[in-house]
Amino acid sequence: MKMDKTVETTRLERFLDSDIWHSFKKSPIAIIAFVITVVFLLAAAFAPLVSPHNPFDLASIDIMDSSLPPVWMDEGDARFFLGTDDQGRDIFSTIIYGARISLLVGFASVIFSMVVGITLGLISGYAGGRVDAFIMRVADIQLSFPAILIALLIDGVARGLVPKEMHEELAVYVLIFAIGISGWVQYARTVRGSTLVEKNKEYVQAAQVIGIRPGTILRRHVLPNVMGPVMVIATIHLAIAVITEATLSFLGVGVPPTTPSLGTLIRIGNEYLFSGEWWITIFPGAALVILVLAVNLLGDWLRDAMNPKLR
Amino acid sequence: MVSFLLKRLLQSIIVMLTVALIAFAMFQFVGDPINNMVGQDTTQVEREALKEKLGLNDPFLVQFGRFAWNAAQGDFGISYKYKTPVSDLIFERMPATLELAFVSAVLALVLGIPLGVYTALKRNGWLSKFIMTTSLIGVSLPTFLTGILLILFFGVILRWLPTFGRGDVVEIGTWATGFLTISGLKSLILPSFTLALFQLTLIMRLVRAEMLEVLRTDFVKFAKARGLPDRSVHFKHALKNTLVPVITITGLQLGSLIAFAIITESVFQWPGMGLLFIQAVSDVDIPIMAAYLVLIAFFFVLINMIVDILYYAVDPRLRSNDG
């Protein structure tokens, strides 16, 4: 037990003394991007506590409050900071709830991609031969199509498989599956490359010699050593996944309007653009851009910080 | 050269067969084709007869072979929703998408290359820094938001440009073109710019990176040392050497332009293949989805092959070991 404790403290110390932490402290852009991302995450996680109104509680919305402009415009109402939509829902609150769905789908599909990609990458790199050739050929073919097209196709096929009355219920899971499958290739390729390098190192050979099963070697010994680049990909992939989700929802094949994500909100608001109620669509759009930009900047910084060539 | 070509051709055929298999599998697993064709009151015997007549009781490979053979001839069956041949629907919509993608590609090149050259030459100028920062925001802006912002600004506030549809089209044979009317050209501006923006930033950044790389090489330094004017060094020596990767990337991006047109067409209600496809996805109209998938795959494979052959022609190093 005592041993464990020392290991834990040194881990924290090691982190505070690491290149990553030092580079983070020196980069104001990384700090700002990190703060924005964390604010989004917290707001999304505690949406019921943070948002001023509950936009999905029918008792609390009043049709008389519909289509109010933001507070700084002439007809603005102090209760609704960013104005209201056509049903009288507070835009600021719907954005928080929308970000919750967007981030949920984003994270879930990134994790899904990671699990599929890392598993196939490890197997591909470690097994080699025909298995490797087959997996990489599939990856090549998938990579020659844009991810959004693949996500759309999977979404369409899944809609056909799921009975109509369950569409809305299962829409979120279908989306996670579609976006997840469309993104595994990057992970698999990176992990395969690192595995090819790692498997010839002495510690892996030692583990093989003492008779540890391949599955255990991959999980306990190889996996921790290939995770660095995977984290960089995962961060950038989160931004892509959030954009893909928003795009699919905007196109009307994503999250249903009953539990809107940022993309669904933009789609709904788009219909009111021509009648002058620009705030219904522009604010969710701005929230999406800020979130994606912050995550992208964080990913860029992480990539540079973990690249030894740039130090 | 011949063996290289044959190898590429074989690879392309394998890719196309795989895609066709996926498209075929969609028919197999999603819904019952018979149910989509007959009414509620058709008896079981009639259904079986129709099934036999359509060859749905044949072995899998026979059915797939027939599907692939028909697809190769452009026959993808009848749309579940419109009840007309899918090929007619797609070919009717194809000119709209191809014109949009073509104008976008030209826009991306015509704006992207000069901007890239400028930002590379005036690396520390304020305008370059401004352009680079703006392009970063451009990358983070999803295509559909760009479209919405452009509609809001030029369509709703300024009322300068039309925001949906193609305007008036002129039929040349079977090809309906929007290039020949004023309203057709005006309608093209917003969608094509929306679609071009991402490629534009990509090309600009690529040209800039390549230019910076080339400007550091010895032959450029030597050209400068010889006292050649800047203009000649920058454009004759440097730019020429950056264009090979630019052409490759642009070629490869042509395919994704057609795919990304789905989003742009949806925002601007542009009557192209993408809009047809997205409607098919929400209606689960499998024949249209399958046909679109195969068609896009065909475009991709074709473009990839042309780019590979161009590379082979341009880069002598590839020729020596006959990969």
Short mmCIF file of all heavy atoms in Angstrom, two decimals, chain A residues 141 144-146 148-149 152-153 156-157 159-161 243 246-247 250-251 253 266 270 273-274 278 282 285 288-289 292-293 296-297, chain B residues 19 26 29-30 136 140-142 144-145 148-149 151-152 156 163 259-260 262-263 266-267 277-278 281 284 289 292-293 296-297 300:
data_model
loop_
_atom_site.label_atom_id
_atom_site.label_comp_id
_atom_site.label_asym_id
_atom_site.label_seq_id
_atom_site.Cartn_x
_atom_site.Cartn_y
_atom_site.Cartn_z
N ILE A 141 -9.87 1.93 -48.12
CA ILE A 141 -11.09 2.20 -48.89
C ILE A 141 -11.95 3.22 -48.16
O ILE A 141 -12.43 4.18 -48.75
CB ILE A 141 -11.87 0.89 -49.14
CG1 ILE A 141 -11.07 -0.02 -50.07
CG2 ILE A 141 -13.23 1.19 -49.75
CD1 ILE A 141 -11.71 -1.35 -50.34
N SER A 144 -10.79 6.81 -48.41
CA SER A 144 -10.90 7.56 -49.66
C SER A 144 -12.26 8.24 -49.80
O SER A 144 -12.49 8.94 -50.76
CB SER A 144 -10.60 6.64 -50.85
OG SER A 144 -11.41 5.51 -50.80
N PHE A 145 -13.14 8.05 -48.81
CA PHE A 145 -14.41 8.78 -48.82
C PHE A 145 -14.45 9.74 -47.64
O PHE A 145 -13.94 9.43 -46.58
CB PHE A 145 -15.59 7.82 -48.72
CG PHE A 145 -15.68 6.88 -49.87
CD1 PHE A 145 -15.17 5.61 -49.77
CD2 PHE A 145 -16.26 7.29 -51.05
CE1 PHE A 145 -15.24 4.73 -50.83
CE2 PHE A 145 -16.33 6.42 -52.12
CZ PHE A 145 -15.82 5.15 -52.01
N PRO A 146 -15.09 10.91 -47.81
CA PRO A 146 -15.20 11.83 -46.68
C PRO A 146 -16.02 11.19 -45.55
O PRO A 146 -17.00 10.48 -45.81
CB PRO A 146 -15.96 13.02 -47.26
CG PRO A 146 -15.88 12.89 -48.73
CD PRO A 146 -15.70 11.44 -49.02
N ILE A 148 -18.08 12.42 -43.51
CA ILE A 148 -19.47 12.86 -43.40
C ILE A 148 -20.37 12.00 -44.30
O ILE A 148 -21.50 11.65 -43.93
CB ILE A 148 -19.60 14.35 -43.77
CG1 ILE A 148 -21.04 14.85 -43.61
CG2 ILE A 148 -19.17 14.65 -45.18
CD1 ILE A 148 -21.27 15.49 -42.30
N LEU A 149 -19.83 11.60 -45.46
CA LEU A 149 -20.61 10.77 -46.38
C LEU A 149 -20.86 9.40 -45.78
O LEU A 149 -21.97 8.85 -45.85
CB LEU A 149 -19.85 10.64 -47.70
CG LEU A 149 -20.60 10.00 -48.84
CD1 LEU A 149 -21.76 10.86 -49.25
CD2 LEU A 149 -19.68 9.78 -50.02
N LEU A 152 -23.40 9.67 -43.04
CA LEU A 152 -24.73 9.83 -43.63
C LEU A 152 -25.29 8.49 -44.10
O LEU A 152 -26.46 8.17 -43.87
CB LEU A 152 -24.65 10.76 -44.84
CG LEU A 152 -25.03 12.21 -44.63
CD1 LEU A 152 -24.70 13.02 -45.86
CD2 LEU A 152 -26.50 12.32 -44.32
N LEU A 153 -24.44 7.70 -44.77
CA LEU A 153 -24.89 6.40 -45.28
C LEU A 153 -25.30 5.48 -44.15
O LEU A 153 -26.36 4.85 -44.19
CB LEU A 153 -23.76 5.76 -46.09
CG LEU A 153 -23.73 6.12 -47.55
CD1 LEU A 153 -22.49 5.55 -48.20
CD2 LEU A 153 -24.96 5.58 -48.25
N GLY A 156 -28.48 6.54 -42.74
CA GLY A 156 -29.60 6.20 -43.62
C GLY A 156 -29.97 4.73 -43.52
O GLY A 156 -31.15 4.37 -43.42
N VAL A 157 -28.93 3.87 -43.54
CA VAL A 157 -29.20 2.43 -43.46
C VAL A 157 -29.82 2.09 -42.11
O VAL A 157 -30.80 1.33 -42.03
CB VAL A 157 -27.89 1.64 -43.67
CG1 VAL A 157 -28.10 0.18 -43.37
CG2 VAL A 157 -27.40 1.82 -45.09
N ARG A 159 -31.60 3.93 -40.24
CA ARG A 159 -32.99 4.37 -40.24
C ARG A 159 -33.90 3.34 -40.88
O ARG A 159 -35.04 3.16 -40.48
CB ARG A 159 -33.13 5.67 -41.03
CG ARG A 159 -32.83 6.87 -40.23
CD ARG A 159 -32.60 8.05 -41.12
NE ARG A 159 -32.51 9.19 -40.25
CZ ARG A 159 -33.55 9.94 -39.92
NH1 ARG A 159 -34.72 9.71 -40.43
NH2 ARG A 159 -33.40 10.93 -39.08
N GLY A 160 -33.35 2.68 -41.90
CA GLY A 160 -34.14 1.66 -42.57
C GLY A 160 -34.33 0.44 -41.69
O GLY A 160 -35.37 -0.22 -41.74
N LEU A 161 -33.30 0.13 -40.87
CA LEU A 161 -33.36 -1.07 -40.05
C LEU A 161 -34.25 -0.88 -38.82
O LEU A 161 -34.91 -1.79 -38.37
CB LEU A 161 -31.95 -1.47 -39.60
CG LEU A 161 -31.03 -1.97 -40.72
CD1 LEU A 161 -29.63 -2.20 -40.19
CD2 LEU A 161 -31.58 -3.26 -41.30
N ILE A 243 -18.79 18.74 -35.00
CA ILE A 243 -19.21 19.36 -36.26
C ILE A 243 -20.05 18.37 -37.08
O ILE A 243 -21.09 18.73 -37.64
CB ILE A 243 -18.00 19.81 -37.10
CG1 ILE A 243 -17.40 21.06 -36.49
CG2 ILE A 243 -18.40 20.08 -38.55
CD1 ILE A 243 -16.45 21.79 -37.39
N ALA A 246 -23.46 18.16 -35.63
CA ALA A 246 -24.23 19.37 -35.93
C ALA A 246 -24.68 19.35 -37.39
O ALA A 246 -25.82 19.69 -37.71
CB ALA A 246 -23.38 20.60 -35.65
N THR A 247 -23.77 18.91 -38.29
CA THR A 247 -24.12 18.89 -39.71
C THR A 247 -25.26 17.92 -39.98
O THR A 247 -26.23 18.25 -40.66
CB THR A 247 -22.89 18.49 -40.54
OG1 THR A 247 -21.82 19.37 -40.22
CG2 THR A 247 -23.18 18.59 -42.02
N PHE A 250 -28.35 19.29 -38.63
CA PHE A 250 -28.80 20.39 -39.47
C PHE A 250 -29.49 19.86 -40.72
O PHE A 250 -30.50 20.41 -41.19
CB PHE A 250 -27.63 21.29 -39.86
CG PHE A 250 -28.02 22.38 -40.82
CD1 PHE A 250 -28.66 23.51 -40.36
CD2 PHE A 250 -27.79 22.25 -42.18
CE1 PHE A 250 -29.06 24.50 -41.24
CE2 PHE A 250 -28.18 23.23 -43.06
CZ PHE A 250 -28.81 24.36 -42.59
N LEU A 251 -28.94 18.77 -41.27
CA LEU A 251 -29.52 18.20 -42.49
C LEU A 251 -30.83 17.48 -42.20
O LEU A 251 -31.52 17.03 -43.11
CB LEU A 251 -28.54 17.23 -43.14
CG LEU A 251 -27.28 17.86 -43.72
CD1 LEU A 251 -26.33 16.78 -44.23
CD2 LEU A 251 -27.63 18.81 -44.86
N VAL A 253 -31.20 14.66 -40.32
CA VAL A 253 -31.11 13.23 -40.13
C VAL A 253 -30.38 12.90 -38.82
O VAL A 253 -29.88 11.81 -38.63
CB VAL A 253 -30.41 12.53 -41.31
CG1 VAL A 253 -31.26 12.61 -42.54
CG2 VAL A 253 -29.05 13.13 -41.58
N ILE A 266 -29.84 25.13 -34.81
CA ILE A 266 -29.51 25.95 -35.97
C ILE A 266 -30.50 25.67 -37.10
O ILE A 266 -30.97 26.57 -37.79
CB ILE A 266 -28.06 25.69 -36.43
CG1 ILE A 266 -27.10 26.10 -35.32
CG2 ILE A 266 -27.75 26.44 -37.71
CD1 ILE A 266 -25.69 25.64 -35.52
N ASN A 270 -33.01 28.39 -38.60
CA ASN A 270 -32.78 28.75 -40.01
C ASN A 270 -34.08 29.15 -40.69
O ASN A 270 -34.10 29.98 -41.59
CB ASN A 270 -32.14 27.56 -40.73
CG ASN A 270 -31.53 27.95 -42.04
OD1 ASN A 270 -31.19 29.12 -42.24
ND2 ASN A 270 -31.40 27.01 -42.94
N LEU A 273 -34.85 32.87 -40.33
CA LEU A 273 -33.82 33.82 -40.76
C LEU A 273 -34.45 34.91 -41.64
O LEU A 273 -34.14 36.10 -41.49
CB LEU A 273 -32.75 33.06 -41.55
CG LEU A 273 -31.38 33.70 -41.62
CD1 LEU A 273 -30.82 33.89 -40.23
CD2 LEU A 273 -30.44 32.81 -42.41
N PHE A 274 -35.34 34.49 -42.53
CA PHE A 274 -35.88 35.45 -43.50
C PHE A 274 -36.89 36.41 -42.89
O PHE A 274 -37.13 37.48 -43.42
CB PHE A 274 -36.50 34.71 -44.68
CG PHE A 274 -35.47 34.06 -45.54
CD1 PHE A 274 -35.19 32.73 -45.40
CD2 PHE A 274 -34.75 34.80 -46.46
CE1 PHE A 274 -34.21 32.12 -46.17
CE2 PHE A 274 -33.78 34.21 -47.23
CZ PHE A 274 -33.51 32.87 -47.08
N TRP A 278 -32.98 36.69 -36.53
CA TRP A 278 -31.68 36.07 -36.76
C TRP A 278 -31.11 35.41 -35.51
O TRP A 278 -30.33 34.47 -35.59
CB TRP A 278 -30.69 37.13 -37.26
CG TRP A 278 -30.62 38.33 -36.39
CD1 TRP A 278 -31.39 39.45 -36.50
CD2 TRP A 278 -29.78 38.53 -35.26
NE1 TRP A 278 -31.08 40.33 -35.51
CE2 TRP A 278 -30.10 39.80 -34.74
CE3 TRP A 278 -28.79 37.77 -34.64
CZ2 TRP A 278 -29.46 40.31 -33.60
CZ3 TRP A 278 -28.15 38.28 -33.53
CH2 TRP A 278 -28.49 39.54 -33.02
N ILE A 282 -28.37 32.33 -35.08
CA ILE A 282 -26.99 32.80 -35.00
C ILE A 282 -26.33 32.48 -33.66
O ILE A 282 -25.16 32.09 -33.62
CB ILE A 282 -26.92 34.32 -35.29
CG1 ILE A 282 -27.33 34.60 -36.73
CG2 ILE A 282 -25.52 34.87 -35.03
CD1 ILE A 282 -26.48 33.94 -37.79
N GLY A 285 -25.29 28.91 -33.43
CA GLY A 285 -24.17 28.79 -34.36
C GLY A 285 -22.88 29.31 -33.76
O GLY A 285 -21.83 28.67 -33.85
N LEU A 288 -21.53 26.96 -31.21
CA LEU A 288 -20.88 25.82 -31.87
C LEU A 288 -19.48 26.19 -32.33
O LEU A 288 -18.51 25.45 -32.10
CB LEU A 288 -21.74 25.37 -33.05
CG LEU A 288 -21.20 24.21 -33.88
CD1 LEU A 288 -21.28 22.92 -33.10
CD2 LEU A 288 -21.95 24.06 -35.18
N VAL A 289 -19.35 27.36 -33.00
CA VAL A 289 -18.04 27.76 -33.53
C VAL A 289 -17.04 27.96 -32.40
O VAL A 289 -15.90 27.51 -32.48
CB VAL A 289 -18.17 29.05 -34.37
CG1 VAL A 289 -16.81 29.55 -34.78
CG2 VAL A 289 -19.01 28.77 -35.60
N VAL A 292 -15.99 24.54 -31.02
CA VAL A 292 -15.13 23.79 -31.94
C VAL A 292 -13.75 24.45 -32.06
O VAL A 292 -12.72 23.77 -32.06
CB VAL A 292 -15.81 23.70 -33.33
CG1 VAL A 292 -14.84 23.20 -34.38
CG2 VAL A 292 -17.00 22.78 -33.26
N LEU A 293 -13.75 25.78 -32.12
CA LEU A 293 -12.48 26.50 -32.22
C LEU A 293 -11.61 26.22 -31.00
O LEU A 293 -10.41 25.94 -31.12
CB LEU A 293 -12.75 28.00 -32.37
CG LEU A 293 -11.57 28.87 -32.77
CD1 LEU A 293 -11.05 28.47 -34.13
CD2 LEU A 293 -11.96 30.34 -32.78
N ASN A 296 -10.29 22.70 -31.12
CA ASN A 296 -9.27 22.62 -32.17
C ASN A 296 -7.95 23.22 -31.73
O ASN A 296 -6.89 22.64 -31.95
CB ASN A 296 -9.74 23.37 -33.42
CG ASN A 296 -10.33 22.43 -34.45
OD1 ASN A 296 -9.98 21.25 -34.47
ND2 ASN A 296 -11.23 22.93 -35.27
N LEU A 297 -8.01 24.40 -31.10
CA LEU A 297 -6.78 25.05 -30.65
C LEU A 297 -6.08 24.20 -29.60
O LEU A 297 -4.86 24.06 -29.60
CB LEU A 297 -7.09 26.44 -30.09
CG LEU A 297 -7.48 27.49 -31.12
CD1 LEU A 297 -7.95 28.76 -30.45
CD2 LEU A 297 -6.29 27.79 -32.02
N VAL B 19 -17.57 -1.50 -53.05
CA VAL B 19 -18.62 -0.50 -52.85
C VAL B 19 -19.96 -1.03 -53.38
O VAL B 19 -21.00 -0.90 -52.73
CB VAL B 19 -18.25 0.82 -53.54
CG1 VAL B 19 -19.42 1.79 -53.51
CG2 VAL B 19 -17.04 1.43 -52.88
N MET B 26 -27.18 -3.19 -48.81
CA MET B 26 -28.21 -2.28 -48.30
C MET B 26 -29.60 -2.75 -48.77
O MET B 26 -30.55 -2.74 -47.99
CB MET B 26 -27.96 -0.85 -48.78
CG MET B 26 -26.75 -0.27 -48.11
SD MET B 26 -26.27 1.41 -48.50
CE MET B 26 -27.45 2.04 -49.60
N PHE B 29 -30.59 -6.02 -46.69
CA PHE B 29 -30.88 -5.99 -45.26
C PHE B 29 -31.91 -4.95 -44.88
O PHE B 29 -32.51 -5.03 -43.82
CB PHE B 29 -29.59 -5.77 -44.46
CG PHE B 29 -28.63 -6.88 -44.65
CD1 PHE B 29 -27.37 -6.66 -45.18
CD2 PHE B 29 -28.98 -8.18 -44.33
CE1 PHE B 29 -26.48 -7.68 -45.38
CE2 PHE B 29 -28.10 -9.22 -44.52
CZ PHE B 29 -26.85 -8.98 -45.04
N VAL B 30 -32.09 -3.93 -45.71
CA VAL B 30 -33.00 -2.86 -45.32
C VAL B 30 -34.32 -3.02 -46.04
O VAL B 30 -34.41 -2.85 -47.24
CB VAL B 30 -32.38 -1.49 -45.62
CG1 VAL B 30 -33.32 -0.40 -45.11
CG2 VAL B 30 -31.03 -1.36 -44.98
N LEU B 136 -8.01 30.43 -40.14
CA LEU B 136 -8.18 29.48 -39.03
C LEU B 136 -9.63 29.44 -38.60
O LEU B 136 -10.20 28.37 -38.34
CB LEU B 136 -7.29 29.90 -37.85
CG LEU B 136 -7.13 28.85 -36.76
CD1 LEU B 136 -6.31 27.68 -37.27
CD2 LEU B 136 -6.50 29.45 -35.53
N SER B 140 -12.69 26.35 -38.78
CA SER B 140 -13.55 25.91 -37.68
C SER B 140 -15.03 26.15 -37.96
O SER B 140 -15.88 25.67 -37.23
CB SER B 140 -13.17 26.65 -36.39
OG SER B 140 -11.88 26.33 -36.01
N LEU B 141 -15.32 26.92 -38.99
CA LEU B 141 -16.71 27.23 -39.31
C LEU B 141 -17.30 26.09 -40.15
O LEU B 141 -16.84 25.86 -41.26
CB LEU B 141 -16.73 28.54 -40.10
CG LEU B 141 -17.95 29.43 -39.99
CD1 LEU B 141 -18.13 29.94 -38.58
CD2 LEU B 141 -17.80 30.60 -40.94
N PRO B 142 -18.30 25.37 -39.63
CA PRO B 142 -18.88 24.31 -40.45
C PRO B 142 -19.53 24.90 -41.71
O PRO B 142 -20.04 26.02 -41.68
CB PRO B 142 -19.95 23.71 -39.55
CG PRO B 142 -19.72 24.25 -38.20
CD PRO B 142 -18.96 25.52 -38.35
N PHE B 144 -22.28 24.50 -43.23
CA PHE B 144 -23.66 24.99 -43.24
C PHE B 144 -23.79 26.33 -42.54
O PHE B 144 -24.61 27.16 -42.92
CB PHE B 144 -24.60 23.94 -42.64
CG PHE B 144 -24.41 23.64 -41.19
CD1 PHE B 144 -25.18 24.26 -40.23
CD2 PHE B 144 -23.46 22.72 -40.78
CE1 PHE B 144 -25.02 23.97 -38.89
CE2 PHE B 144 -23.29 22.42 -39.45
CZ PHE B 144 -24.07 23.06 -38.50
N LEU B 145 -22.91 26.59 -41.55
CA LEU B 145 -22.95 27.89 -40.89
C LEU B 145 -22.44 28.99 -41.81
O LEU B 145 -22.99 30.10 -41.83
CB LEU B 145 -22.10 27.86 -39.62
CG LEU B 145 -22.86 27.59 -38.34
CD1 LEU B 145 -21.91 27.61 -37.16
CD2 LEU B 145 -23.94 28.65 -38.14
N ILE B 148 -25.29 29.85 -43.93
CA ILE B 148 -26.32 30.63 -43.23
C ILE B 148 -25.88 32.08 -43.06
O ILE B 148 -26.65 33.01 -43.29
CB ILE B 148 -26.62 29.99 -41.86
CG1 ILE B 148 -27.34 28.66 -42.06
CG2 ILE B 148 -27.47 30.91 -41.00
CD1 ILE B 148 -27.62 27.93 -40.78
N LEU B 149 -24.60 32.26 -42.68
CA LEU B 149 -24.09 33.63 -42.49
C LEU B 149 -24.14 34.40 -43.80
O LEU B 149 -24.52 35.58 -43.83
CB LEU B 149 -22.66 33.60 -41.95
CG LEU B 149 -22.54 33.16 -40.49
CD1 LEU B 149 -21.08 33.10 -40.06
CD2 LEU B 149 -23.31 34.13 -39.59
N ILE B 151 -26.13 33.85 -46.33
CA ILE B 151 -27.53 34.13 -46.64
C ILE B 151 -28.01 35.33 -45.83
O ILE B 151 -28.64 36.26 -46.36
CB ILE B 151 -28.41 32.90 -46.34
CG1 ILE B 151 -28.15 31.80 -47.35
CG2 ILE B 151 -29.89 33.28 -46.36
CD1 ILE B 151 -28.98 30.55 -47.13
N LEU B 152 -27.69 35.32 -44.54
CA LEU B 152 -28.13 36.41 -43.67
C LEU B 152 -27.60 37.75 -44.17
O LEU B 152 -28.34 38.73 -44.28
CB LEU B 152 -27.64 36.16 -42.23
CG LEU B 152 -28.01 37.23 -41.21
CD1 LEU B 152 -29.51 37.27 -41.01
CD2 LEU B 152 -27.33 36.97 -39.87
N VAL B 156 -30.53 38.46 -46.77
CA VAL B 156 -31.57 39.04 -45.92
C VAL B 156 -31.30 40.52 -45.63
O VAL B 156 -32.18 41.36 -45.75
CB VAL B 156 -31.70 38.25 -44.60
CG1 VAL B 156 -32.77 38.87 -43.72
CG2 VAL B 156 -32.05 36.80 -44.89
N THR B 163 -30.97 33.47 -52.64
CA THR B 163 -30.44 32.56 -51.62
C THR B 163 -30.92 31.13 -51.79
O THR B 163 -30.55 30.27 -51.03
CB THR B 163 -30.87 33.02 -50.22
OG1 THR B 163 -32.29 33.17 -50.23
CG2 THR B 163 -30.22 34.32 -49.86
N ALA B 259 -19.03 15.52 -52.72
CA ALA B 259 -19.67 14.97 -51.54
C ALA B 259 -20.16 16.07 -50.60
O ALA B 259 -21.26 16.01 -50.06
CB ALA B 259 -18.71 14.04 -50.81
N PHE B 260 -19.31 17.10 -50.41
CA PHE B 260 -19.69 18.18 -49.50
C PHE B 260 -20.81 19.04 -50.09
O PHE B 260 -21.45 19.80 -49.36
CB PHE B 260 -18.49 19.05 -49.14
CG PHE B 260 -17.74 18.53 -47.96
CD1 PHE B 260 -16.59 17.81 -48.12
CD2 PHE B 260 -18.24 18.72 -46.68
CE1 PHE B 260 -15.91 17.29 -47.03
CE2 PHE B 260 -17.58 18.21 -45.60
CZ PHE B 260 -16.40 17.48 -45.77
N ILE B 262 -23.50 18.06 -50.75
CA ILE B 262 -24.73 17.65 -50.06
C ILE B 262 -25.16 18.76 -49.09
O ILE B 262 -26.33 19.16 -49.07
CB ILE B 262 -24.50 16.36 -49.24
CG1 ILE B 262 -24.10 15.21 -50.14
CG2 ILE B 262 -25.75 16.00 -48.46
CD1 ILE B 262 -23.67 13.99 -49.36
N ILE B 263 -24.20 19.25 -48.29
CA ILE B 263 -24.52 20.24 -47.26
C ILE B 263 -24.90 21.56 -47.91
O ILE B 263 -25.93 22.16 -47.59
CB ILE B 263 -23.34 20.41 -46.30
CG1 ILE B 263 -22.96 19.06 -45.69
CG2 ILE B 263 -23.65 21.43 -45.23
CD1 ILE B 263 -21.59 19.03 -45.09
N SER B 266 -28.17 21.55 -49.53
CA SER B 266 -29.26 21.54 -48.56
C SER B 266 -29.51 22.95 -48.02
O SER B 266 -30.67 23.36 -47.87
CB SER B 266 -28.91 20.58 -47.42
OG SER B 266 -29.97 20.46 -46.54
N VAL B 267 -28.44 23.70 -47.74
CA VAL B 267 -28.61 25.06 -47.21
C VAL B 267 -29.28 25.95 -48.24
O VAL B 267 -30.17 26.74 -47.92
CB VAL B 267 -27.24 25.66 -46.81
CG1 VAL B 267 -27.41 27.09 -46.34
CG2 VAL B 267 -26.59 24.83 -45.72
N PHE B 277 -29.98 13.06 -52.56
CA PHE B 277 -29.46 12.04 -51.67
C PHE B 277 -29.94 12.25 -50.23
O PHE B 277 -30.38 11.31 -49.57
CB PHE B 277 -27.93 12.03 -51.73
CG PHE B 277 -27.29 11.12 -50.73
CD1 PHE B 277 -27.37 9.74 -50.86
CD2 PHE B 277 -26.59 11.63 -49.65
CE1 PHE B 277 -26.79 8.90 -49.94
CE2 PHE B 277 -25.99 10.80 -48.72
CZ PHE B 277 -26.09 9.42 -48.87
N ILE B 278 -29.87 13.49 -49.77
CA ILE B 278 -30.22 13.73 -48.37
C ILE B 278 -31.71 13.48 -48.15
O ILE B 278 -32.12 12.97 -47.11
CB ILE B 278 -29.79 15.15 -47.92
CG1 ILE B 278 -29.85 15.26 -46.40
CG2 ILE B 278 -30.62 16.25 -48.51
CD1 ILE B 278 -28.78 14.50 -45.74
N VAL B 281 -32.05 9.83 -47.83
CA VAL B 281 -31.66 9.31 -46.51
C VAL B 281 -32.82 9.48 -45.54
O VAL B 281 -33.14 8.56 -44.78
CB VAL B 281 -30.40 10.02 -45.98
CG1 VAL B 281 -30.17 9.69 -44.52
CG2 VAL B 281 -29.18 9.63 -46.79
N VAL B 284 -35.48 6.94 -46.43
CA VAL B 284 -34.97 5.58 -46.58
C VAL B 284 -35.28 5.05 -47.98
O VAL B 284 -35.82 3.97 -48.16
CB VAL B 284 -35.52 4.63 -45.50
CG1 VAL B 284 -34.66 3.39 -45.40
CG2 VAL B 284 -35.57 5.29 -44.15
N MET B 289 -30.02 5.94 -52.58
CA MET B 289 -28.81 5.93 -51.76
C MET B 289 -27.73 5.06 -52.38
O MET B 289 -26.57 5.44 -52.46
CB MET B 289 -29.14 5.44 -50.35
CG MET B 289 -29.82 6.48 -49.49
SD MET B 289 -30.56 5.77 -48.02
CE MET B 289 -29.12 5.25 -47.14
N TYR B 292 -26.29 6.66 -55.54
CA TYR B 292 -25.42 7.80 -55.23
C TYR B 292 -24.08 7.31 -54.71
O TYR B 292 -23.03 7.81 -55.10
CB TYR B 292 -26.12 8.68 -54.19
CG TYR B 292 -25.38 9.95 -53.88
CD1 TYR B 292 -25.46 11.05 -54.72
CD2 TYR B 292 -24.58 10.04 -52.75
CE1 TYR B 292 -24.78 12.21 -54.44
CE2 TYR B 292 -23.88 11.20 -52.46
CZ TYR B 292 -23.99 12.28 -53.31
OH TYR B 292 -23.30 13.42 -53.04
N LEU B 293 -24.13 6.30 -53.83
CA LEU B 293 -22.89 5.75 -53.27
C LEU B 293 -21.98 5.23 -54.37
O LEU B 293 -20.79 5.56 -54.43
CB LEU B 293 -23.24 4.62 -52.29
CG LEU B 293 -22.05 3.84 -51.73
CD1 LEU B 293 -21.24 4.72 -50.80
CD2 LEU B 293 -22.51 2.59 -51.00
N ILE B 296 -20.62 8.21 -56.52
CA ILE B 296 -19.56 8.96 -55.85
C ILE B 296 -18.28 8.14 -55.80
O ILE B 296 -17.18 8.65 -56.07
CB ILE B 296 -20.01 9.34 -54.41
CG1 ILE B 296 -21.11 10.39 -54.46
CG2 ILE B 296 -18.84 9.85 -53.59
CD1 ILE B 296 -20.61 11.77 -54.82
N ALA B 297 -18.40 6.84 -55.50
CA ALA B 297 -17.23 5.98 -55.47
C ALA B 297 -16.55 5.98 -56.83
O ALA B 297 -15.32 6.04 -56.93
CB ALA B 297 -17.63 4.56 -55.09
N PHE B 300 -14.63 9.15 -57.27
CA PHE B 300 -13.42 9.12 -56.44
C PHE B 300 -12.34 8.26 -57.08
O PHE B 300 -11.18 8.67 -57.19
CB PHE B 300 -13.75 8.59 -55.05
CG PHE B 300 -14.07 9.66 -54.08
CD1 PHE B 300 -15.37 10.08 -53.90
CD2 PHE B 300 -13.07 10.27 -53.34
CE1 PHE B 300 -15.68 11.08 -53.01
CE2 PHE B 300 -13.38 11.28 -52.45
CZ PHE B 300 -14.68 11.68 -52.28
#
